[in-house]
Amino acid sequence: MSAPASIDVGHLPDHAFGSRDPMWWGVMLLMAIEATLMVLALTSYFYVRGNFTNWPPTGVGPVAREYATGVLAVLIASGVAMLPVSNAARRHALGRVRIWMIVVTVLSLVAGVLRVLEMQALPFRWTTSAYGSVIWVTIGFHTLHLVAGVIENIVLTVLAFNGPFENKHYVDVDLNALFWLFVVAEWVVTYAVLYGEGLLAG
Amino acid sequence: MSAPETVPSAPACAPEANGHVEPVEPDADTEHRRQLTATWAHPRGVIGWFANTSYLALGRRFIVTAFVFFVLGGLEALAMRLQLARPESQLIGPDLYNQIFTMHGSTMMFLFAVPVMEGMGLFLVPLMIGTRNVAFPRLIAFSYFTYVIGGGLLYVGFLFNTGPDAGWFSYVPLAGPEFSPGKRVDVWAQMITFTEMSALANAIALIATILKLRAPGMSLPRIPLFTWATLITSFMVVFAMPAVMLASTYLALDRLVGTHFFNPAEGGDALLWQHMFWFFGHPEVYIIFIPALGMVSAIIESATHRPIFGYLPMVLSLVATAFIGFGLWVHHMFATGLPQIGRSFFTASSIMIAVPSGVQIFCWLATLWSGKPRITTSLLFVLGFVLVFVFGGLSGVMLASVPIDLQVHDTFFVVAHFHYVLIGGAVFPLFGGFHHWFPKITGRMLDERAGRWTFGLMFVGFNAVFFPMHVLGLNGMTRRVYTYAPETGFGPLNMLATAGGVVLALGVIVFIANVIRALRRGPRAEDNPWQAPSLEWATASPPPCYSFERLPVVHGRHPLWSDVPAPAVVTGVSTEEPEVLVTSAVDAEPDHKIVLAGAALSPLALALAVGVTVIACIFNPWGLVYGTPLCAAALIAWFWPRGRHRKLSELS
């Protein structure tokens, strides 16, 4: 027989990063689902807009906008801080993963607190009108993603300090960074639509 | 033509599963199998049942559970037919009738059609691509429990006279807080949450499995058409299901906490519901239909013993159907007063989707034409599918035209059309698929004579129920009304339809009897009773818990129809841990190996936590707030490492 009888894969590694890894596909698909949900929520924002003569019927108010801008700034900062986490994970540099994960986790908790203040400052409730409903529910969806991301950040930070930290957990850290960047990007778009009415719309 | 096997067949885990006595084998092979069995064996006992994460078990469970719902939905259909058999019948009152047609539609779409297709995909895909489990075993277990909780919720509601009654589409304002007080529609909305979560979880698991766990050499142009169909369907699920989840969330919020999404008095919009529902609802039809097309291809290929004619146009047609399927939801809304340009666009796209379906029909006909098909029960169902589906497609092209649609909207003509498409397009191929893969799933052969009776009764019964409905609809009989006056003259054709319904039900009863008989004393199935070409037939029937004794290497599109050049198998994958080989997404080159999750109770815990949260929300909106920590705890338990310390990094 000219070719070998079998393909030996004994030497292949036990983990891989990026699109080589099945879990990366899982996270990408989860993000596709959540992004579709958010796009449809924003679509309904524009859909109900056609039913109002004055849009927005009641403004979001300066206080809520300030907090929302604060969320935006802190999230972007946390996204930037997530880049070295991803980098360190791919190099298996546990020390740097630990340091930057703490930075990201603290920032993500700050974003969560600002989110609570933002929602409290909104000058209308979801029962006020369809406008109020769509604003509250859209922010609510992002808050769910935010909470999921914060919990994941905390769990991985604890894991990075307490172990057991195996090769595959570097992959988890890298994927968590991917999901967190999605949470950040999602708010950039959502913020622009919900709070940028003076900028985007007439 | 004989069918040499790529892979040495392996005995099942259970010793009685394969009857023939093997010659004494070298110790190495026995030891290899013993080790594989120890690693991949299903957990035992009641707790083990809940902890099982094997696709072999979960695929079967999805199929069986969905079939139970099929029978329940069928009984509801029979109840409606009995009520409509005579004019002014008093058998079922209007309130119960509303619940029954809503339950029938919701059951068939959400609890039968989608889950059964996913169950077939879960069971068959890992075998077809030559691996040992899906990429995310715990996710499919979670999916199953979520599905059962959702289906259970719907039926418990129905038993307590709280079955939804606003149609399977729950149009507002009828389904809104003003016109549907009580909890009936809330039960529907939360059942949607459960079933969509389940479908999305399965879709993620299937896509990652198909793209990353294929046998070396099985590049994308070599995967079986059923696997293509499952892949494409799963992508459709990912982009279609969020629409109905969002819509049902809006509906639940309107009903429970007083939001105004669909309330025109406060700036909401009833048509927003219809757009979101049908943006999911139309792709849903193709989510059900595309896997069936994959089954048809597999059945025709093994019945004619010829490679399918036009593999590439087939795949492209499936992809085209999926894309166009997202562009015609508005044809369900022609009667709502749309702008002219919208009507024209959606008429054009609705007619356009007939093109890829036509391409596939001609490819199948060419395959049948060029081979000498063996007329098995499966092939009979496929031939029945071609006839019925073409007919349903023709009435579909008629309905795509706005003037005709306006005329017959909400009449039995539409009921006739979509049952021709859904039963003809999905249920017939599915029954063909049941007969085709039954030996692989159970290890027993179904009786062919009983199978032909099943087909005959179902085919005749089906046409007797639904053909008269075309005429009734054109004569003006409206849907969703519990009775009609004698002077309409609808009586005789309705009586014929009811008689047809009984015949159709007899067909299903013969099938169930055939299955029970086969399970008890049917002949044992060989590895490959149909001489089919794809890898699921390369292992024992039923497959052992480790699926394949040696992981196969693939050299062509029909691995079991040609001699196997070397290398034939993969070595170097651990037998001591549930390890699988990961290959590259397009070319299926070996890339790395991962250890999959084994048996676990965390999927059940998460499904229960989600279940408590979502059901509590029906009664109190704070359920979400109280339930979230529960879900978070279950998720953390899921992801928390088991601490095997297999490869400690530079931690120390």
Side-chain angles (χ1 to χ4, degrees):
Chain A
M1 209 185 283
S2 54
S6 65
I7 296 180
D8 183 28
V9 297
H11 61 283
L12 290 180
D14 65 352
H15 68 293
F17 292 94
S19 66
R20 291 167 61 197
D21 171 38
M23 198 52 123
W24 182 88
W25 288 87
V27 174
M28 287 300 276
L29 291 165
L30 178 70
M31 281 157 44
I33 290 166
E34 300 303 323
T36 309
L37 206 64
M38 188 50 95
V39 166
L40 289 167
L42 294 176
T43 307
S44 27
Y45 172 87
F46 288 110
Y47 195 91
V48 296
R49 184 178 167 189
N51 295 338
F52 288 83
T53 38
N54 295 318
W55 187 266
T58 44
V60 287
V63 186
R65 185 185 271 117
E66 266 169 33
Y67 284 125
T69 313
V71 174
L72 182 71
V74 174
L75 280 184
I76 290 176
S78 72
V80 173
M82 204 47 133
L83 299 176
V85 172
S86 171
N87 224 322
R90 289 185 180 222
R91 291 177 192 175
H92 295 208
L94 187 60
R96 288 185 57 211
V97 166
R98 284 174 175 167
I99 294 168
W100 286 104
M101 272 311 287
I102 290 178
V103 176
V104 170
T105 307
V106 170
L107 285 173
S108 64
L109 283 168
V110 173
V113 172
L114 287 172
R115 169 54 51 79
V116 174
L117 297 172
E118 172 198 347
M119 291 172 102
Q120 283 177 344
L122 282 173
F124 48 80
R125 305 272 283 173
W126 52 89
T127 47
T128 308
S129 67
Y131 172 76
S133 310
V134 82
I135 294 271
W136 271 90
V137 172
T138 309
I139 295 178
F141 274 128
H142 185 260
T143 307
L144 279 183
H145 296 160
L146 186 69
V147 170
V150 170
I151 293 175
E152 235 184 305
N153 286 340
I154 294 172
V155 168
L156 283 172
T157 309
V158 172
L159 192 64
F161 279 91
N162 286 358
F165 211 81
E166 301 170 20
N167 276 341
K168 65 175 182 179
H169 296 125
Y170 287 111
V171 180
D172 291 345
V173 168
D174 189 43
L175 291 173
N176 176 57
L178 190 66
F179 182 76
W180 185 254
L181 291 177
F182 166 75
V183 174
V184 175
E186 190 184 38
W187 185 241
V188 173
V189 176
T190 312
Y191 172 85
V193 174
L194 301 189
Y195 289 95
E197 69 252 19
L199 305 168
L200 275 183
Chain B
M1 182 173 166
S2 71
E5 289 178 0
T6 329
V7 192
S9 72
C13 290
E16 78 278 357
N18 224 336
H20 56 90
V21 180
E22 298 266 339
V24 179
E25 294 189 33
D27 276 352
D29 278 0
T30 322
E31 174 58 21
H32 180 68
R33 277 198 296 270
R34 194 197 59 73
Q35 191 129 53
L36 280 173
T37 307
T39 303
W40 292 91
H42 305 302
R44 289 172 183 280
V46 179
I47 293 175
W49 192 90
F50 285 105
N52 199 334
T53 52
S54 161
Y55 74 103
L56 292 166
L58 288 156
R60 282 192 191 104
R61 281 183 209 171
F62 263 105
I63 296 169
V64 171
T65 312
F67 194 82
V68 170
F69 282 118
F70 172 72
V71 171
L72 291 172
L75 291 173
E76 287 146 13
L78 272 182
M80 284 189 283
R81 277 320 321 162
L82 289 176
Q83 163 66 16
L84 292 176
R86 289 177 296 113
E88 287 183 352
S89 167
Q90 296 300 318
L91 195 63
I92 297 172
D95 181 65
L96 183 59
Y97 189 84
N98 289 348
Q99 287 187 62
I100 290 180
F101 75 68
T102 305
M103 291 292 292
H104 170 73
S106 305
T107 302
M108 288 304 197
M109 297 301 276
F110 296 112
L111 302 178
F112 162 64
V114 175
V116 81
M117 294 299 175
E118 289 185 334
M120 295 293 275
L122 286 176
F123 187 91
L124 292 171
V125 159
L127 291 170
M128 282 184 170
I129 65 174
T131 186
R132 285 181 172 144
N133 204 349
V134 293
F136 311 130
R138 287 179 295 181
L139 192 62
I140 62 171
F142 165 73
S143 165
Y144 178 73
F145 295 125
T146 315
Y147 160 56
V148 172
I149 293 173
L153 170 68
L154 186 70
Y155 273 85
V156 168
F158 185 47
L159 285 180
F160 287 94
N161 194 27
T162 315
D165 57 355
W168 83 278
F169 39 79
S170 280
Y171 274 3
V172 290
L174 176 62
E178 196 177 343
F179 297 101
S180 288
K183 297 293 176 197
R184 288 181 171 183
V185 175
D186 301 306
V187 166
W188 182 88
Q190 304 299 43
M191 178 275 290
I192 296 295
T193 309
F194 285 113
T195 51
E196 307 313 287
M197 221 184 290
S198 161
L200 286 165
N202 281 342
I204 291 178
L206 284 166
I207 293 172
T209 307
I210 295 172
L211 290 179
K212 294 307 295 176
L213 299 189
R214 299 197 308 277
M218 189 183 271
S219 56
L220 280 184
R222 285 179 179 169
I223 64 179
L225 284 167
F226 178 76
T227 307
W228 264 118
T230 305
L231 179 66
I232 292 164
T233 307
S234 302
F235 271 109
M236 290 189 79
V237 168
V238 165
F239 292 106
M241 297 287 179
V244 75
M245 284 193 80
L246 185 66
S248 68
T249 305
Y250 284 175
L251 179 62
L253 291 172
D254 268 15
R255 296 175 55 85
L256 296 169
V257 297
T259 55
H260 298 293
F261 288 102
F262 307 124
N263 177 9
E266 293 288 348
D269 204 308
L271 279 190
L272 176 62
W273 169 266
Q274 291 199 25
H275 278 295
M276 297 232 281
F277 185 81
W278 290 116
F279 185 75
F280 142 81
H282 200 84
E284 166 92 342
V285 175
Y286 294 92
I287 288 167
I288 295 166
F289 173 56
I290 289 179
L293 299 178
M295 294 179 191
V296 168
S297 294
I299 292 167
I300 289 186
E301 217 165 35
S302 62
T304 57
H305 227 275
R306 297 189 67 84
I308 208 87
F309 178 86
Y311 176 92
L312 184 64
M314 279 290 211
V315 174
L316 292 178
S317 297
L318 290 175
V319 175
T321 306
F323 272 103
I324 303 173
F326 276 96
L328 29 74
W329 78 94
V330 173
H331 76 206
H332 296 269
M333 301 165 60
F334 279 154
T336 58
L338 298 163
Q340 190 65 39
I341 181 86
R343 291 182 182 186
S344 310
F345 177 85
F346 285 98
T347 294
S349 59
S350 306
I351 294 175
M352 187 160 74
I353 200 152
V355 175
S357 303
V359 168
Q360 295 183 73
I361 298 271
F362 284 115
C363 286
W364 290 320
L365 291 180
T367 314
L368 287 167
W369 193 272
S370 62
K372 287 201 190 77
R374 280 173 306 166
I375 309 292
T376 55
T377 304
S378 320
L379 190 67
L380 284 176
F381 272 106
V382 165
L383 298 177
F385 148 78
V386 172
L387 279 173
V388 172
F389 179 69
V390 167
F391 202 94
L394 288 175
S395 59
V397 173
M398 289 166 75
L399 284 171
S401 155
V402 176
I404 299 181
D405 183 85
L406 287 178
Q407 192 65 32
V408 297
H409 185 80
D410 268 347
T411 71
F412 267 83
F413 188 86
V414 178
V415 179
H417 159 71
F418 70 71
H419 281 92
Y420 264 76
V421 182
L422 285 172
I423 297 188
V427 177
F428 277 26
L430 180 70
F431 270 75
F434 283 160
H435 285 84
H436 184 69
W437 281 293
F438 188 85
K440 185 52 63 185
I441 295 172
T442 65
R444 304 279 179 153
M445 299 298 287
L446 283 171
D447 184 59
E448 274 291 302
R449 207 163 68 98
R452 284 195 289 274
W453 272 100
T454 306
F455 169 73
L457 289 168
M458 284 181 72
F459 186 79
V460 171
F462 166 79
N463 283 290
V465 192
F466 294 105
F467 191 83
M469 289 186 190
H470 291 103
V471 183
L472 286 168
L474 289 174
N475 288 344
M477 183 169 171
T478 47
R479 309 165 65 175
R480 307 182 195 116
V481 179
Y482 80 109
T483 193
Y484 50 92
E487 48 272 23
T488 53
F490 297 152
L493 282 178
N494 270 301
M495 184 58 89
L496 172 61
T498 302
V502 174
V503 177
L504 180 56
L506 279 178
V508 177
I509 291 171
V510 172
F511 173 72
I512 295 172
N514 194 5
V515 166
I516 293 172
R517 201 197 130 275
L519 289 177
R520 283 196 175 160
R521 50 189 156 86
R524 307 239 178 232
E526 300 161 22
D527 292 358
N528 189 1
W530 317 116
Q531 285 85 47
S534 42
L535 279 180
E536 78 272 27
W537 303 103
T539 186
S541 306
C545 54
Y546 46 85
S547 309
F548 296 94
E549 189 176 331
R550 311 272 175 197
L551 289 174
V553 177
V554 172
H555 299 273
R557 204 172 278 164
H558 304 98
L560 304 199
W561 278 356
S562 52
D563 289 323
V564 189
V569 293
V570 177
T571 54
V573 176
S574 169
T575 53
E576 286 155 27
E577 292 178 292
E579 188 173 73
V580 291
L581 177 66
V582 179
T583 52
S584 60
V586 176
D587 295 325
E589 302 279 355
D591 187 70
H592 65 284
K593 298 175 290 181
I594 53 170
V595 177
L596 296 177
L601 285 170
S602 46
L604 176 69
L606 183 61
L608 288 176
V610 171
V612 167
T613 310
V614 174
I615 293 175
C617 285
I618 295 180
F619 301 98
N620 188 340
W622 286 99
L624 183 68
V625 179
Y626 301 134
T628 305
L630 212 59
C631 298
L635 261 178
I636 291 172
W638 179 315
F639 286 110
W640 201 256
R642 297 288 173 278
R644 255 179 309 108
H645 295 279
R646 193 165 55 88
K647 277 192 183 150
L648 275 181
S649 311
E650 71 250 54
L651 185 68
S652 45

